[in-house]
Amino acid sequence: MGLQELKNSLGADQPPQDFPLPLQALWYEAKGDWHQAHHLAQSAGDEAGAWVHAYLHRKEGDPSNAAYWYSRAGQTPSQLPLETEWENIAQALLQQYT
């Protein structure tokens, strides 16, 4: 699956069934369900989940919490527009999981 297919899937009621938790979290965030996205990112328990978790706290406006999660993910805190960061994370995870 590519980025455009991921974006196209946002018209559905549920994410694709084979999505790992970090991608499900990004999917729910894009659908406007921050709390479900946060729950899934936190449940992932790996670096990919930590990266999504960092993005979510950055979007929430909590930079110190985001910085902690970027560190857990082995990522540099992003200064990109949120939409661009979402796309970058999505592309990286899509490549990682395919």
Side-chain angles (χ1 to χ4, degrees), residues 36-82:
Q36 179 65 5
H38 185 260
H39 170 73
L40 292 166
Q42 197 164 23
S43 296
D46 59 9
E47 285 187 352
W51 193 10
V52 175
H53 202 157
Y55 162 80
L56 292 169
H57 283 294
R58 179 174 173 242
K59 184 165 187 178
E60 179 188 35
D62 187 350
S64 62
N65 201 355
Y68 168 80
W69 288 102
Y70 281 116
S71 175
R72 293 276 310 262
Q75 298 290 328
T76 302
S78 179
Q79 301 299 315
L80 296 170
L82 289 166

Side-chain angles (χ1 to χ4, degrees), residues 29-40:
E29 189 283 323
K31 294 281 282 187
D33 191 342
W34 188 94
H35 292 286
Q36 179 65 5
H38 185 260
H39 170 73
L40 292 166

Side-chain angles (χ1 to χ4, degrees), residues 21 36 58 65 83 91 93:
L21 291 177
Q36 179 65 5
R58 179 174 173 242
N65 201 355
E83 183 177 330
Q91 286 179 324
L93 295 182

